[in-house]
Amino acid sequence: MSDTDTDEDEREIKLVMAMIRPDKLGDVKEALAEVGAPSLTVTNVSGRGSQPAKTGQWRGEEYVVDLHQKVKIECVVADIPAEDVVEAIQQGAQTGEPGDGKVFVLPVEDAVQIRTGERGPDAV
């Protein structure tokens, strides 16, 4: 086994997943580009956490909105530290108000690039 193979095996694949405010997506994308995050998946989601519920009225009836619109960002990394991606998301998404979101880092067991069949960190 050569030194190159050892370095290859030490590279870990991580999934960085974040739920953020939709209006902060542009700032987060810019921050991720600055750290060299190679890929990004964005999904519109609804959820609730520490952000308080909102009440409103429609046609004289009061209603409560406790599921807030969020954007889910997923970024799989192997060549750049996951911590750099976490910091970029945090800096781009932070407003200081409840409901800014959360970031999760998960280990990825394996990755396969469909077109080439490459596996592991090279597939990312």
Side-chain angles (χ1 to χ4, degrees):
M1 189 181 233
S2 70
D3 290 338
T4 307
D5 292 336
T6 304
D7 292 342
E8 185 91 5
D9 293 340
E10 290 176 6
R11 294 187 330 188
E12 291 183 300
I13 306 171
K14 298 283 185 173
L15 169 63
V16 180
M17 181 174 38
M19 311 299 170
I20 64 166
R21 296 172 184 261
D23 58 315
K24 298 303 284 181
L25 179 59
D27 295 338
V28 170
K29 283 171 44 179
E30 285 179 27
L32 288 171
E34 288 176 14
V35 297
S39 61
L40 184 66
T41 302
V42 177
T43 310
N44 290 315
V45 296
S46 298
R48 71 176 181 202
S50 61
Q51 191 174 5
K54 295 180 183 178
T55 58
Q57 278 195 325
W58 187 69
R59 293 189 177 181
E61 296 291 323
E62 189 172 290
Y63 65 94
V64 176
V65 176
D66 62 348
L67 294 177
H68 301 281
Q69 296 301 308
K70 298 290 179 185
V71 173
K72 179 180 178 181
I73 297 172
E74 295 172 304
C75 186
V76 179
V77 295
D79 294 333
I80 60 173
E83 189 58 35
D84 291 354
V85 175
V86 170
E87 288 176 17
I89 293 171
Q90 185 178 10
Q91 289 172 1
Q94 190 173 27
T95 67
E97 299 292 323
D100 277 353
K102 303 260 187 316
V103 180
F104 305 97
V105 180
L106 305 162
V108 175
E109 187 173 321
D110 198 7
V112 179
Q113 188 176 41
I114 293 173
R115 181 179 53 87
T116 63
E118 287 183 300
R119 296 187 78 100
D122 290 334
V124 176

